[in-house]
Amino acid sequence: MSSSFLQKQLEAFKENASNASSKLSNKRTIAAQSAAPTPRPSTPSGASMGDLKRKRPDSSSAIVYSQPADTGTGRYIMTQVTYAVDYLKSKETPQTLASVIGYLSLQNQNPDSKRTIADILKHHDRVEFTPSGPPGKPTNTWDSGTYRFRPIHNIRSATELLAYLQAQPSAQGLSVKELKDGWSGAEDAIDFLESHSQLLVTRNKKDNHARMVWANDPSLSQNIDFEFQSRWHKIKIPVAAELPGELSKAGLKPTSVDPATVVKKVVPGKKERQKRSRRGGRQTNTHMAGILRDYPAKK
């Protein structure tokens, strides 16, 4: 192989390599220009501020530094107070603060939380607080004294119930639902007093539970002979549809009949006398009595 042929091949290779290098350089330049950010058009100086859309700041991220942070402490304490009142209601006897704290499992809480719960219970409208110590010299420590549930009516025994009903100025009944608020043995006491004729009781038809109670005087109770009771219950009472007819047969007027629809019986042969109208008022023009004429029948 001659040297001239090799020389031609070398020059052709160099030319191809040069062309490939120039093409690769052009592609990189075009890619770089397409990836470059397009500059935004400048806003004219004469444009008004109202024409520009501004993004409103997020109001939810605004922090009001004049208000304390909501840590939930108040809600937690009031929840514990609610549990404490329910605990006192179930016990029905005076309880110390230590027993209440033990029920709430707050023995390991800081003293400030316990003191706050004690202060709220002392002023709660459903709690009675009794300070400890002799009368006139109560103990002033915050964890002393006893707490007791205050029901709607201060009644917790059969004796107190009778005394309350007898002291009423009227014969108004007492709701059993209100009695059971703070007195779990209300129904048993009511049943006992009713069996001894000391209470008048109305009951629900569904479950026969006592609904209302009134005071009763046992001396007014009368025993009715059994034979009379049996005869009384044997009397047949007409059904509601036949009752007006039976009353009419007996000469009685049923209350369900409209009085306007009752036809009065007219006795034949007896005519009602027509009442003559009386002329009232003062008579005038007496000096013309011979000239004027009266027409009383046409009035």
XYZ file of all heavy atoms in Angstrom, residues 42-121:
606
model
N -41.328 44.466 31.397
C -41.336 45.478 32.456
C -42.681 46.183 32.494
O -43.332 46.371 31.476
C -40.223 46.496 32.229
O -40.409 47.125 30.973
N -43.117 46.526 33.713
C -44.397 47.208 33.907
C -44.240 48.679 33.579
O -43.310 49.323 34.053
C -44.855 47.074 35.346
O -44.905 45.684 35.677
C -46.213 47.702 35.554
N -45.123 49.201 32.791
C -45.005 50.633 32.472
C -45.126 51.471 33.741
O -45.856 51.156 34.667
C -46.193 50.888 31.528
C -46.621 49.553 31.052
C -46.237 48.567 32.088
N -44.386 52.542 33.748
C -44.376 53.421 34.927
C -45.710 54.109 35.129
O -46.075 54.480 36.238
C -43.258 54.468 34.801
O -43.465 55.239 33.604
N -46.503 54.248 34.081
C -47.787 54.943 34.185
C -48.932 54.046 34.614
O -50.056 54.520 34.757
N -48.704 52.719 34.833
C -49.779 51.808 35.210
C -50.194 52.066 36.651
O -49.366 52.313 37.522
C -49.322 50.363 35.054
N -51.501 51.976 36.927
C -52.016 52.224 38.272
C -51.818 50.981 39.133
O -51.732 49.868 38.624
C -53.494 52.604 38.219
O -54.233 51.538 37.666
N -51.825 51.188 40.471
C -51.634 50.077 41.393
C -52.852 49.163 41.430
O -52.741 47.993 41.764
C -51.373 50.624 42.802
C -50.107 51.460 42.906
S -48.640 50.515 42.467
C -48.619 49.358 43.813
N -54.017 49.699 41.081
C -55.214 48.871 41.081
C -55.225 47.846 39.982
O -55.944 46.857 40.051
N -54.424 48.105 38.889
C -54.381 47.159 37.777
C -53.545 45.937 38.099
O -53.607 44.936 37.391
C -53.847 47.843 36.524
C -54.767 48.972 36.072
O -55.964 48.903 36.448
O -54.298 49.892 35.396
N -52.721 46.041 39.096
C -51.854 44.922 39.453
C -52.540 44.034 40.479
O -53.072 44.526 41.476
C -50.533 45.456 40.025
C -49.736 46.390 39.091
C -48.482 46.866 39.794
C -49.377 45.674 37.794
N -52.545 42.750 40.257
C -53.163 41.811 41.179
C -52.172 41.467 42.278
O -51.086 40.959 42.018
C -53.585 40.541 40.447
C -54.699 40.759 39.442
C -55.123 39.454 38.815
C -56.254 39.660 37.826
N -56.659 38.395 37.205
N -52.589 41.785 43.492
C -51.730 41.482 44.624
C -52.257 40.266 45.368
O -53.459 40.108 45.541
C -51.672 42.676 45.577
C -50.991 43.892 44.962
C -50.882 44.992 45.997
N -50.208 46.155 45.445
C -49.958 47.255 46.146
N -50.347 47.339 47.403
N -49.328 48.259 45.589
N -51.397 39.441 45.851
C -51.775 38.272 46.617
C -52.001 38.682 48.064
O -51.122 39.258 48.703
C -50.679 37.222 46.534
C -51.069 35.908 47.198
C -49.983 34.881 47.019
C -50.403 33.565 47.668
N -49.350 32.532 47.519
N -53.202 38.402 48.565
C -53.535 38.769 49.936
C -52.798 37.864 50.916
O -52.687 36.663 50.706
C -55.037 38.664 50.166
C -55.844 39.573 49.264
C -57.306 39.428 49.568
N -57.609 39.851 50.932
C -58.834 39.807 51.436
N -59.840 39.359 50.700
N -59.039 40.202 52.678
N -52.315 38.407 51.985
C -51.620 37.557 52.975
C -52.601 36.611 53.651
O -53.774 36.908 53.814
C -51.046 38.584 53.973
C -51.941 39.772 53.831
C -52.340 39.808 52.369
N -52.112 35.476 54.063
C -52.927 34.463 54.733
C -53.231 34.914 56.150
O -52.326 35.047 56.989
C -52.184 33.124 54.744
C -53.071 32.003 55.256
O -54.268 32.273 55.466
O -52.562 30.880 55.431
N -54.542 35.166 56.423
C -54.923 35.670 57.741
C -54.831 34.594 58.813
O -54.760 34.895 60.002
C -56.355 36.221 57.702
O -57.246 35.207 57.292
N -54.885 33.309 58.383
C -54.833 32.234 59.382
C -53.477 32.148 60.064
O -53.349 31.630 61.171
C -55.176 30.898 58.726
O -54.236 30.601 57.706
N -52.435 32.654 59.372
C -51.103 32.604 59.958
C -50.815 33.788 60.855
O -49.744 33.865 61.445
C -50.055 32.525 58.842
O -50.135 33.689 58.031
N -51.793 34.724 60.954
C -51.562 35.895 61.795
C -51.665 35.506 63.263
O -52.528 34.750 63.665
C -52.573 36.987 61.469
N -50.791 36.010 64.057
C -50.729 35.697 65.487
C -51.113 36.944 66.264
O -50.564 38.020 66.053
C -49.320 35.228 65.890
C -48.925 33.986 65.081
C -49.251 34.951 67.381
C -47.525 33.507 65.338
N -52.092 36.778 67.156
C -52.507 37.883 68.016
C -51.714 37.762 69.310
O -51.974 36.886 70.135
C -54.025 37.833 68.284
C -54.449 39.004 69.150
C -54.787 37.841 66.969
N -50.750 38.641 69.481
C -49.867 38.527 70.637
C -50.495 39.065 71.910
O -49.968 38.852 72.992
C -48.554 39.285 70.365
C -47.745 38.646 69.248
C -47.822 39.115 67.944
C -46.930 37.545 69.514
C -47.082 38.524 66.932
C -46.193 36.946 68.504
C -46.268 37.444 67.213
O -45.554 36.852 66.215
N -51.680 39.754 71.814
C -52.308 40.302 73.009
C -53.124 39.261 73.765
O -53.575 39.509 74.865
C -53.229 41.476 72.632
O -54.249 41.022 71.761
N -53.357 38.057 73.161
C -54.141 37.012 73.789
C -53.224 35.883 74.248
O -52.247 35.552 73.568
C -55.191 36.453 72.810
C -56.169 37.488 72.311
C -57.068 37.978 73.423
O -57.323 37.259 74.377
N -57.535 39.199 73.324
N -53.550 35.261 75.400
C -52.710 34.134 75.851
C -52.932 32.906 74.992
O -53.981 32.728 74.386
C -53.203 33.901 77.287
C -54.595 34.413 77.291
C -54.605 35.591 76.344
N -51.959 32.067 74.930
C -52.050 30.853 74.128
C -53.050 29.891 74.752
O -53.149 29.773 75.974
C -50.678 30.192 74.021
N -53.829 29.216 73.887
C -54.837 28.263 74.347
C -54.152 26.928 74.617
O -53.893 26.146 73.705
C -55.928 28.108 73.286
C -57.068 27.235 73.786
O -57.053 26.885 74.984
O -57.952 26.909 72.982
N -53.878 26.658 75.886
C -53.200 25.413 76.261
C -54.169 24.310 76.645
O -53.768 23.177 76.862
C -52.248 25.685 77.444
O -53.021 26.190 78.539
C -51.179 26.697 77.069
N -55.472 24.636 76.793
C -56.454 23.624 77.171
C -56.499 23.325 78.653
O -57.204 22.407 79.081
N -55.796 24.081 79.470
C -55.763 23.817 80.905
C -57.129 24.045 81.536
O -57.582 23.268 82.378
C -54.713 24.712 81.579
O -53.448 24.482 80.944
C -54.597 24.402 83.061
N -57.817 25.126 81.136
C -59.122 25.430 81.709
C -60.142 24.344 81.423
O -60.909 23.935 82.306
N -60.163 23.849 80.192
C -61.096 22.783 79.838
C -60.786 21.505 80.627
O -61.686 20.781 81.043
C -61.052 22.512 78.331
C -61.585 23.653 77.482
C -61.840 23.168 76.064
N -60.600 22.758 75.422
C -59.827 23.563 74.715
N -60.166 24.828 74.566
N -58.727 23.116 74.142
N -59.525 21.231 80.851
C -59.127 20.039 81.600
C -59.609 20.126 83.044
O -60.154 19.158 83.588
C -57.610 19.905 81.540
C -57.047 18.885 82.507
C -57.126 17.521 82.233
C -56.430 19.287 83.687
C -56.621 16.586 83.117
C -55.918 18.358 84.570
C -56.005 17.006 84.288
O -55.505 16.095 85.167
N -59.441 21.281 83.677
C -59.840 21.439 85.073
C -61.356 21.339 85.207
O -61.876 20.670 86.111
C -59.316 22.777 85.634
C -57.790 22.718 85.762
C -59.946 23.089 86.986
C -57.176 23.994 86.266
N -62.127 21.978 84.305
C -63.589 21.925 84.396
C -64.101 20.505 84.142
O -65.119 20.098 84.706
C -64.213 22.897 83.399
C -63.937 24.364 83.723
S -64.325 24.805 85.437
C -66.065 24.448 85.508
N -63.401 19.740 83.315
C -63.779 18.346 83.125
C -63.598 17.560 84.417
O -64.454 16.749 84.804
C -62.938 17.710 82.004
O -63.137 18.457 80.789
C -63.341 16.264 81.772
N -62.496 17.804 85.118
C -62.261 17.141 86.397
C -63.302 17.557 87.433
O -63.747 16.735 88.247
C -60.848 17.464 86.895
C -59.730 16.974 85.991
C -59.723 15.470 85.842
O -60.106 14.737 86.739
N -59.276 14.986 84.683
N -63.724 18.824 87.407
C -64.763 19.283 88.335
C -66.082 18.564 88.067
O -66.805 18.179 88.994
C -64.931 20.809 88.230
C -66.159 21.282 88.987
C -63.695 21.519 88.771
N -66.425 18.360 86.789
C -67.647 17.634 86.442
C -67.608 16.206 86.974
O -68.591 15.702 87.535
C -67.833 17.615 84.919
O -67.876 18.969 84.431
C -69.129 16.917 84.536
N -66.465 15.544 86.817
C -66.314 14.193 87.365
C -66.419 14.205 88.885
O -66.980 13.269 89.482
C -64.971 13.605 86.939
C -64.858 13.315 85.462
C -63.622 13.350 84.802
C -65.987 12.999 84.699
C -63.515 13.088 83.450
C -65.887 12.742 83.344
C -64.646 12.782 82.724
O -64.547 12.529 81.383
N -65.886 15.226 89.519
C -65.938 15.313 90.978
C -67.376 15.472 91.472
O -67.779 14.857 92.462
C -65.072 16.479 91.461
N -68.176 16.294 90.773
C -69.580 16.481 91.163
C -70.361 15.180 90.995
O -71.186 14.811 91.849
C -70.207 17.623 90.338
C -71.703 17.728 90.614
C -69.531 18.947 90.654
N -70.107 14.451 89.922
C -70.769 13.155 89.735
C -70.366 12.165 90.826
O -71.187 11.349 91.285
C -70.423 12.590 88.354
C -71.034 13.404 87.225
O -72.009 14.133 87.492
O -70.519 13.318 86.090
N -69.116 12.237 91.260
C -68.654 11.354 92.333
C -69.364 11.678 93.642
O -69.821 10.774 94.353
C -67.143 11.510 92.482
C -66.571 10.858 93.721
C -66.464 9.478 93.828
C -66.126 11.639 94.783
C -65.942 8.883 94.966
C -65.597 11.055 95.925
C -65.510 9.679 96.010
O -64.992 9.090 97.130
N -69.498 12.958 93.956
C -70.206 13.348 95.169
C -71.678 12.955 95.106
O -72.286 12.582 96.111
C -70.064 14.853 95.390
C -68.647 15.378 95.656
C -68.658 16.901 95.711
C -68.087 14.797 96.951
N -72.284 13.034 93.924
C -73.687 12.657 93.761
C -73.892 11.172 94.016
O -74.909 10.758 94.584
C -74.153 13.031 92.355
C -75.611 12.738 92.082
C -75.991 13.184 90.680
C -77.449 12.893 90.389
N -77.842 13.336 89.022
N -72.946 10.352 93.618
C -73.076 8.909 93.822
C -72.846 8.510 95.271
O -73.368 7.484 95.722
C -72.076 8.169 92.920
O -70.732 8.489 93.287
N -72.084 9.297 96.024
C -71.771 8.945 97.409
C -72.883 9.355 98.372
O -73.151 8.649 99.347
C -70.456 9.605 97.823
C -69.231 8.978 97.172
C -69.103 7.531 97.576
C -67.905 6.864 96.967
N -67.790 5.437 97.334
N -73.503 10.516 98.167
C -74.610 11.018 98.998
C -74.187 11.309 100.440
O -75.034 11.548 101.297
C -75.783 10.027 99.008
C -76.364 9.765 97.630
C -77.559 8.827 97.674
O -77.992 8.486 98.786
O -78.045 8.438 96.605
N -72.908 11.236 100.744
C -72.391 11.582 102.072
C -71.225 12.546 101.909
O -70.587 12.579 100.842
C -71.917 10.321 102.816
O -70.955 9.623 102.012
C -73.086 9.398 103.136
N -70.909 13.347 102.936
C -69.791 14.296 102.825
C -68.474 13.579 102.549
O -68.177 12.538 103.144
C -69.788 15.000 104.184
C -71.172 14.829 104.712
C -71.635 13.502 104.213
N -67.684 14.148 101.649
C -66.396 13.586 101.253
C -65.304 14.634 101.423
O -65.531 15.825 101.207
C -66.432 13.106 99.792
C -67.478 12.060 99.486
C -67.195 10.740 100.153
O -66.050 10.293 100.209
N -68.250 10.102 100.677
N -64.118 14.175 101.813
C -62.971 15.073 101.941
C -62.361 15.340 100.569
O -62.628 14.610 99.595
C -61.914 14.474 102.868
O -61.443 13.234 102.295
C -62.500 14.206 104.253
N -61.538 16.373 100.507
C -60.874 16.684 99.243
C -59.909 15.574 98.856
O -59.731 15.289 97.667
C -60.133 18.019 99.352
C -59.414 18.497 98.085
C -60.419 18.758 96.966
C -58.598 19.746 98.358
N -59.317 14.914 99.838
C -58.387 13.825 99.533
C -59.098 12.679 98.823
O -58.556 12.078 97.888
C -57.723 13.332 100.821
N -60.323 12.368 99.247
C -61.070 11.290 98.582
C -61.464 11.693 97.166
O -61.458 10.860 96.248
C -62.300 10.928 99.402
O -63.195 12.029 99.488
N -61.801 12.961 96.971
C -62.148 13.426 95.628
C -60.926 13.381 94.725
O -61.000 12.920 93.565
C -62.728 14.849 95.694
C -62.988 15.385 94.289
C -64.020 14.869 96.497
N -59.780 13.854 95.215
C -58.547 13.830 94.426
C -58.140 12.399 94.116
O -57.665 12.090 93.018
C -57.427 14.572 95.173
C -57.773 16.060 95.314
C -56.098 14.409 94.464
C -57.925 16.799 94.019
N -58.344 11.498 95.088
C -58.019 10.095 94.840
C -58.910 9.478 93.780
O -58.451 8.671 92.967
N -60.196 9.851 93.776
C -61.101 9.342 92.747
C -60.688 9.845 91.368
O -60.777 9.104 90.383
C -62.531 9.766 93.066
C -63.518 9.477 91.960
C -64.009 8.193 91.755
C -63.957 10.497 91.110
C -64.892 7.925 90.733
C -64.841 10.231 90.092
C -65.314 8.947 89.897
O -66.191 8.691 88.872
N -60.219 11.091 91.298
C -59.805 11.666 90.021
C -58.395 11.249 89.608
O -57.963 11.629 88.502
C -59.876 13.200 90.097
C -61.251 13.808 90.390
C -61.141 15.314 90.533
C -62.252 13.451 89.301
N -57.704 10.507 90.487
C -56.325 10.066 90.216
C -55.397 11.252 89.963
O -54.593 11.261 89.031
C -56.289 9.092 89.021
O -57.095 7.962 89.268
N -55.512 12.259 90.814
C -54.680 13.463 90.675
C -53.714 13.606 91.852
O -53.304 14.713 92.187
C -55.574 14.707 90.594
C -56.580 14.758 89.436
C -57.431 16.018 89.522
C -55.857 14.709 88.095
N -53.355 12.482 92.475
C -52.468 12.570 93.625
C -51.110 13.157 93.261
O -50.496 13.854 94.073
C -52.271 11.177 94.249
C -53.547 10.543 94.779
C -54.241 9.691 93.727
O -54.080 9.931 92.533
N -55.004 8.705 94.175
N -50.643 12.902 92.042
C -49.317 13.360 91.636
C -49.342 14.696 90.906
O -48.311 15.128 90.379
C -48.658 12.301 90.741
C -48.478 10.973 91.459
O -48.246 10.950 92.671
N -48.585 9.865 90.725
N -50.502 15.335 90.843
C -50.578 16.644 90.205
C -49.969 17.711 91.116
O -49.844 17.524 92.333
C -52.037 16.995 89.894
C -52.627 16.232 88.732
C -52.089 16.704 87.390
O -51.557 17.805 87.273
N -52.208 15.859 86.371
N -49.619 18.854 90.504
C -49.037 19.939 91.291
C -50.090 20.546 92.202
O -51.292 20.497 91.902
C -48.434 21.009 90.372
C -49.449 21.543 89.373
O -50.483 22.076 89.752
N -49.158 21.395 88.087
N -49.699 21.114 93.333
C -50.670 21.663 94.291
C -51.554 22.760 93.715
O -52.684 22.949 94.168
C -49.785 22.183 95.426
C -48.505 21.421 95.301
C -48.319 21.180 93.844
N -51.068 23.499 92.724
C -51.879 24.581 92.160
C -53.134 24.035 91.487
O -54.233 24.620 91.612
C -51.046 25.380 91.153
C -49.930 26.165 91.833
O -50.052 26.422 93.055
O -48.952 26.506 91.149
N -53.025 22.929 90.771
C -54.201 22.334 90.115
C -55.197 21.831 91.153
O -56.410 22.018 91.015
C -53.768 21.199 89.195
O -52.924 21.668 88.167
N -54.710 21.208 92.218
C -55.594 20.715 93.274
C -56.296 21.880 93.976
O -57.490 21.811 94.279
C -54.800 19.898 94.285
C -54.124 18.670 93.697
C -53.323 17.952 94.767
C -52.549 16.781 94.196
N -51.727 16.097 95.233
N -55.549 22.957 94.223
C -56.142 24.129 94.880
C -57.227 24.753 94.006
O -58.275 25.184 94.500
C -55.062 25.151 95.188
C -55.553 26.347 96.010
C -54.477 27.432 96.016
N -53.260 26.961 96.624
C -52.968 27.117 97.926
N -53.838 27.745 98.718
N -51.834 26.672 98.418
N -56.999 24.786 92.688
C -57.995 25.354 91.771
C -59.276 24.529 91.783
O -60.394 25.072 91.826
C -57.421 25.418 90.346
O -56.228 26.200 90.348
C -58.428 26.036 89.388
N -59.147 23.198 91.759
C -60.333 22.331 91.801
C -61.081 22.521 93.115
O -62.325 22.577 93.149
C -59.909 20.869 91.602
C -59.381 20.667 90.181
C -61.083 19.924 91.862
C -58.823 19.282 89.918
N -60.346 22.648 94.224
C -60.990 22.846 95.528
C -61.750 24.171 95.571
O -62.880 24.233 96.087
C -59.939 22.801 96.634
N -61.167 25.244 95.044
C -61.845 26.540 95.042
C -63.114 26.511 94.196
O -64.137 27.106 94.565
C -60.892 27.621 94.522
C -59.748 27.893 95.482
O -59.890 27.552 96.676
O -58.705 28.420 95.046
N -63.077 25.825 93.060
C -64.268 25.747 92.202
C -65.368 24.948 92.889
O -66.549 25.327 92.851
C -63.898 25.129 90.839
C -62.934 26.047 90.080
C -65.150 24.890 90.000
C -62.428 25.462 88.786
N -65.018 23.851 93.561
C -66.030 23.035 94.244
C -66.661 23.788 95.412
O -67.850 23.622 95.692
C -65.394 21.736 94.745
C -65.029 20.699 93.671
C -64.337 19.504 94.316
C -66.258 20.243 92.910
